Amino acid sequence: MNEHKLHDGSLYWPKTMSFFPTYPSLRERAMTQVAIIGGGMTGAICAATLAEAGIPAVLVEEKRVASASTAANTGLIQFSSDIMMSGLADRIGERDAVAFYAHSRKAVNDLGLLAAAVPQDGGYRVRSSLYCASTDEDAPKLRREYEMLRRHGYAADWGFPAGVGSDFMARYPAAFVTHGDAEINPVRTAHAFIAQAARSGVRVYEHTGVANVRRRGDWFALDCEGGEILARTVVRATGYLPDIEGAAGCEPILRRTFALATKPNSVPAEWNRDHMMWETARPYFYFRTTPDGRIVAGGLDEDSPDPVTGEPELQARTAKLLAELGKLFPGSRFEAEHAWCGSFGESPDDLPFIGEHPETPGLFHALGYGGNGTVYAMLAANMLVARLRGQEHPLAGLLRPREVNRAASGKPAVRKAYGV
Ligand SMILES: Cc1cc2nc3c(=O)[nH]c(=O)nc-3n(C[C@H](O)[C@H](O)[C@H](O)COP(=O)(O)OP(=O)(O)OC[C@H]3O[C@@H](n4cnc5c(N)ncnc54)[C@H](O)[C@@H]3O)c2cc1C
């Protein structure tokens, strides 16, 4: 069992569940077409998508479903990545950058369709995003992004939305609003998807860790606590954890990040609740609201792979996040009812690792690192279904598991060498 902790503090989303569905442990030898390792948001989306496509699958989770990074996720669903379309175009060319953004936007919509098809409400609500320039120097960069998005057909409005206070505008020199993003409750959504997949015939096992994945003829054999799974295709949806023997590379650069949820009914009257907010600084400060009027805010990423565990350390970061909110809404007083710290993984080139590893055909990676993990999970599920149907997805070449030159990315290598 993997004992590494991915979060600490008082998580908000699990408190919104009155009942957690449970699933048995594996006690047999199971055969299937697709074995999904990991019962977080990525495994959940893949399981629900495979069920919808009528493809037989088994999902195995070594702890409880939706209890790792998915429980710490703040639930912003945005087609824009941590890297702007314009920045990505500079790096990989405009055609590929535009294709990546187009498929991310499609994934936001597909997630909405998947959410609408399950009986439980996972809180998917369409939202607009206010993207702010953090400094005067960032304002031209933001303008360039706005113009490129418009040129490629994205609905975007330059400036601040009506109602935003003058303190907000004094803090940020420029901003624009994009439309067609969403917010979710990640824990309810992941549970809803897994429950739906289970109803449609996907076999789900909790407390079933996969220790090892080996080739056996045309099959993969997965050694699990309590049994064995034989599958034609294996999906590695294990998030940021060191996971299974026999899985090649694609390790994230791990950081820690902080988040809080205020008390209910604390959204200032001047804020339009249909909007989420983020900025150009890296790391960025961001916030969204919840249906019961909380603000969920986050940021302050630090170059350390482990969550803080001491209460004073967490309180200090929470006070900083509250101070950021206070600067934007000086007329309001905010109190954190929940505050937490979570590990957070980035790929060195800001793109997810999705697809079969060239050295291990059939082992499909669904590792959606970065601030957009949920959108990348939906993208991974779409690419997985395409691959199982023998189709070449347009992003297959760009996102396949690859060697990335970490030193060239300028990002610090803070990955700790955990044992498996
Ligand atoms: C504070 C914070 C805020 C965030 N905000 C956002 C946001 O607003 N929007 C967004 O899109 N993303 C956000 N993220 C990122 C998001 O949480 C992740 O991208 C997403 O949850 C990853 O889901 P996952 O299923 O890939 O990983 P996880 O949720 O970590 O699930 C992986 C699962 O695999 C299981 N597993 C691992 N190894 C094995 C094994 N050998 N056998 C069986 N099971 C195994 C683990 O137990 C775990 O349950 C945030 C992250 C943090 C920490």
Side-chain angles (χ1 to χ4, degrees), residues 41-386:
M41 181 62 85
T42 308
I45 292 175
C46 288
T49 306
L50 290 177
E52 205 170 55
I55 298 169
V58 167
L59 181 147
V60 268
E61 163 55 50
E62 72 175 350
K63 293 177 182 157
R64 300 290 317 278
V65 303
S67 65
S69 289
T70 296
N73 187 329
T74 41
L76 284 79
I77 307 299
Q78 297 174 301
F79 65 79
S80 287
S81 308
D82 291 353
I83 180 158
M84 289 179 172
M85 182 196 271
S86 46
L88 195 57
D90 291 342
R91 205 188 281 168
I92 63 171
E94 188 159 334
R95 201 194 55 174
D96 281 348
V98 169
F100 180 70
Y101 263 62
H103 283 280
S104 297
R105 180 165 61 170
K106 179 178 179 308
V108 174
N109 295 335
D110 290 345
L111 193 63
L113 294 174
L114 202 59
V118 303
Q120 296 100 325
D121 181 9
Y124 185 100
R125 303 284 182 273
V126 174
R127 293 286 177 254
S128 299
S129 291
L130 173 64
Y131 199 1
C132 299
S134 310
T135 59
D136 288 337
E137 294 76 56
D138 280 358
K141 197 167 81 177
L142 194 77
R143 181 76 201 186
R144 181 174 173 235
E145 180 68 3
Y146 163 77
E147 283 168 4
M148 190 178 270
L149 286 173
R150 293 275 303 205
R151 198 164 66 247
H152 290 288
Y154 290 78
D157 305 315
W158 185 254
F160 291 89
V164 163
S166 55
D167 296 290
F168 213 103
M169 293 186 212
R171 165 72 186 84
Y172 293 111
F176 71 89
V177 176
T178 53
H179 304 287
D181 285 332
E183 67 181 33
I184 55 165
N185 175 328
V187 172
R188 290 178 74 97
T189 299
H191 271 286
F193 286 168
I194 289 178
Q196 173 76 355
R199 277 191 296 272
S200 311
V202 174
R203 282 168 285 165
V204 179
Y205 299 101
E206 286 184 318
H207 302 295
T208 303
V210 177
N212 202 306
V213 177
R214 285 171 290 117
R215 265 257 167 236
R216 192 182 293 167
D218 291 342
W219 296 84
F220 284 102
L222 282 65
D223 293 334
C224 306
E225 300 149 30
E228 183 187 56
I229 298 171
L230 292 177
R232 298 279 188 192
T233 298
V234 175
V235 180
R236 184 181 174 196
T238 48
Y240 308 139
L241 290 167
D243 47 15
I244 36 172
E245 274 181 43
C250 305
E251 284 198 347
I253 300 168
L254 279 186
R255 301 215 156 82
R256 64 184 176 210
T257 184
F258 298 84
L260 63 81
T262 63
K263 295 196 163 193
N265 307 315
S266 52
V267 180
E270 69 265 33
W271 182 253
N272 181 340
R273 291 178 185 215
D274 290 344
H275 287 65
M276 312 186 289
M277 177 269 160
W278 64 316
E279 58 168 338
T280 52
R282 297 291 179 269
Y284 51 86
F285 172 73
Y286 61 93
F287 71 84
R288 54 162 286 188
T289 61
T290 64
D292 62 351
R294 297 169 199 266
I295 294 185
V296 172
L300 306 176
D301 309 7
E302 295 175 358
D303 282 341
S304 167
D306 300 307
V308 295
T309 48
E311 191 57 28
E313 287 176 285
L314 187 56
Q315 271 173 9
R317 281 22 167 248
T318 307
K320 275 195 193 175
L321 287 176
L322 288 173
E324 284 301 314
L325 269 183
K327 278 185 219 161
L328 301 177
F329 303 104
S332 302
R333 262 188 54 76
F334 301 103
E335 265 181 76
E337 192 166 285
H338 297 275
W340 64 97
C341 176
S343 300
F344 180 80
E346 290 177 359
S347 66
D349 63 359
D350 292 308
L351 293 172
F353 295 104
I354 304 176
E356 284 176 294
H357 198 283
E359 285 163 22
T360 324
L363 177 57
F364 189 95
H365 291 55
L367 302 174
Y369 303 144
N372 247 10
T374 313
V375 173
Y376 297 160
M378 189 68 239
L379 185 52
N382 288 341
M383 292 175 71
L384 173 66
V385 170

